[in-house]
Structures are given as C-alpha cells and as structure tokens.
Amino acid sequence: MCLISFIIAGNKVVYHVPIQGTIDMGLPHYIQRVIDQAESEEVAAIIFDIDTFGGRVDAATQMKDIILDSKITTVAFINKRAISAGALISLSCDSIFMSAGASIGAATAVDLQGEKASEKVISYMREEMASTAEANNRFRDVASAMVDEDLSISFIVNSLGDTLTSEDVEGFSEGKLVTLSTNLAILLGIADKELNNSLTDSYGDLSCDNQCQAISGATDTFDSPGLQTPQEEIKYWLSKGRDPYLMNPNLPLPKVQGTSRLLPRK
C-alpha cells in the first residue's frame, strides 16, 4: 500500500509516505515523483512510514538511490517491520525511528524458488547494505551481517561506550542473519529513537539532530483523495517477473490506495 499525506504544522509541510506491503517496480517511479514534488515545494521533510517484508532487489536499490540523492531530509518510521528490502530503504534515510516491538534486518537475497542467491548476488547486496549504512554514519558491519549469515561480528562498541557481542545480538554469530529489535537497533546506532505512539500522535517527538526540527499540530482531518498514477501501476505489471532475485520470497501482490491531504484542525 502506498499513499501520501501532507502534514502541515505551523509554516512547515512534511510529506508522509507509507511504504507497506511488497516492494515492487511501481514504487521507485512513485518515490521519485514524490521527492521531485517535495523538492520543488521545499518541504521540511519526508517521512516514509514503513511496514514491509521486502520485495524486489532492483526496486529496492532504485529506491535507495533516489532517497540518498534527495535534497530533502528523509525519515524512516519503521512501523512495525523493515525486513529485507525494507531494511535497505530504511538505511538510506537520514534518520530512522521505530515503533515499540518493531524489527529491521534479514536482508539476504533469494531466487524465485526461495533459495539463497549466488555469491555474486550476495556480495553485491552485502556492499549495497554496507555502503548505504556508511553513507548515513551507521555501522557497515551490522548492515553487511543482515545480508550474509557467513559473516560474524566479534563485538561492536556503540556511541555510549557499551560493548555488544553475540551474547547481546544473536545475529553476530556465524550462521545467523542480523535482525534487530527496536531496542537493539537503537543501541547499535542503526535507529535513532523509539516512538511509543502512532505516527500522527508523535510528530512533536520527531527531532532529527538539526535536520528535522520538532513537528507538531498535525490532526486527523483528510481531504483531496487521489491515486498512484496509472503509469506507475503499469510499470509494475510490465516488469513483473523480470527480476530473478527477491529480498524475500513468496510475497503477496502490492496494494495501492489513495492519496490524502492532512490539514490542521481549525
């Protein structure tokens, strides 16, 4: 499911873009259009509201490139999961917030039969994840271990000086993929903060280290419905089945719903 809301708080406008369900080839074109519009309107930030088990490698890497190249502050709100392709998309954002009980990781590539991809593909995805994490000052080793269970991490010293080992993070052991809970993601610097309430109840808590100042005043009044464009939906159907690799197998078809405009209460 993918829709967009415009949250107006004072003189600031923030785009709210849910990315939910399967990551497919319609989404990169949609995300590019949203970011182009956000840049032209000079909005304060874009919040990607993420809940996905993954999808196509090519779609995820295109979305990652688009988000990294954005001139607008980007925030990933993981609610409740950013698994596989969702992890790559989240890591591309300037800041990551997670709901209580959320998770991020498990990003190994598989073929259409659900078997682990070749070492060539795994090597590529390993570095995609690592370099994306590195671009936003996150631990590249942790991101790499989300892709390849053959890797092991002896220990990580976080920004607080705490040392975390395989006793703290199961995925640090060889033979295990890294998947992090909200608490562990924050301890390892992968995520910035936990949001305890729903997104619309928590805009005042979103402060992204001078990138995205506190956003408040959002309400639940909706207007201006719309849809993802037919061209973007067609791109999905034309490309369906062309990529032999997924970042999660056996996924359902995506759902596309309307666009909404979120206005302040009078």
Side-chain angles (χ1 to χ4, degrees):
M1 181 177 68
C2 198
L3 56 105
I4 180 172
S5 301
F6 303 78
I7 299 97
I8 301 176
N11 294 322
K12 297 178 180 179
V13 176
V14 176
Y15 282 7
H16 169 220
V17 183
I19 299 176
Q20 300 170 357
T22 306
I23 305 302
D24 63 69
M25 281 306 294
L27 287 177
H29 307 280
Y30 176 77
I31 297 302
Q32 183 68 70
R33 177 165 59 86
V34 167
I35 288 178
D36 288 345
Q37 182 175 330
E39 290 178 347
S40 68
E41 295 182 1
E42 298 182 344
V43 306
I46 302 171
I47 300 173
F48 296 102
D49 191 342
I50 298 172
D51 185 6
T52 179
F53 284 106
R56 294 177 55 131
V57 168
D58 51 357
T61 53
Q62 287 182 40
M63 292 170 70
K64 180 268 294 186
D65 290 342
I66 292 167
I67 294 169
L68 278 179
D69 291 341
S70 171
K71 299 179 180 66
I72 302 294
T73 295
T74 53
V75 178
F77 173 49
I78 300 175
N79 177 37
K80 292 283 188 177
R81 58 197 57 82
I83 302 303
S84 207
L88 179 61
I89 294 164
S90 298
L91 289 172
S92 68
C93 293
D94 297 316
S95 298
I96 296 177
F97 296 86
M98 298 176 71
S99 63
S103 58
I104 178 173
T108 195
V110 298
D111 60 24
L112 293 176
Q113 286 71 48
E115 299 295 327
K116 183 178 177 180
S118 68
E119 171 55 25
K120 179 178 180 179
V121 174
I122 295 298
S123 175
Y124 165 73
M125 286 311 306
R126 194 165 52 222
E127 188 56 32
E128 280 286 313
M129 290 284 288
S131 61
T132 303
E134 193 173 50
N136 285 315
N137 299 311
R138 301 182 178 107
F139 284 115
R140 60 175 288 125
D141 289 348
V142 175
S144 295
M146 292 181 180
V147 177
D148 192 350
E149 70 270 21
D150 291 335
L151 298 178
S152 63
I153 299 175
S154 299
F155 65 91
I156 291 284
V157 179
N158 67 14
S159 61
L160 299 175
D162 300 324
T163 300
L164 289 89
T165 69
S166 58
E167 293 185 2
D168 306 295
V169 185
E170 183 180 12
F172 282 7
S173 299
E174 187 174 352
K176 302 287 186 180
L177 286 175
V178 167
T179 302
L180 302 174
S181 65
T182 298
N183 183 54
L184 284 175
I186 293 170
L187 284 175
L188 287 167
I190 295 297
D192 299 280
K193 190 173 183 178
E194 177 182 330
L195 295 185
N196 294 317
N197 302 311
S198 67
L199 185 61
T200 53
D201 290 336
S202 304
Y203 282 114
D205 295 332
L206 294 177
S207 56
C208 319
D209 299 331
N210 298 323
Q211 297 172 0
C212 175
Q213 299 301 317
I215 301 161
S216 60
T219 73
D220 56 0
T221 304
F222 290 83
D223 195 10
S224 303
L227 293 173
Q228 192 176 21
T229 66
Q231 291 87 347
E232 287 155 358
E233 293 184 72
I234 289 170
K235 286 181 184 294
Y236 162 70
W237 291 109
L238 288 178
S239 63
K240 186 173 180 292
R242 291 185 181 178
D243 183 10
Y245 297 105
L246 300 172
M247 293 182 76
N248 199 44
N250 304 319
L251 293 163
L253 293 179
K255 298 177 181 178
V256 179
Q257 295 191 4
T259 299
S260 56
R261 185 175 180 85
L262 182 53
L263 303 173
R265 183 178 287 114
K266 295 181 180 180

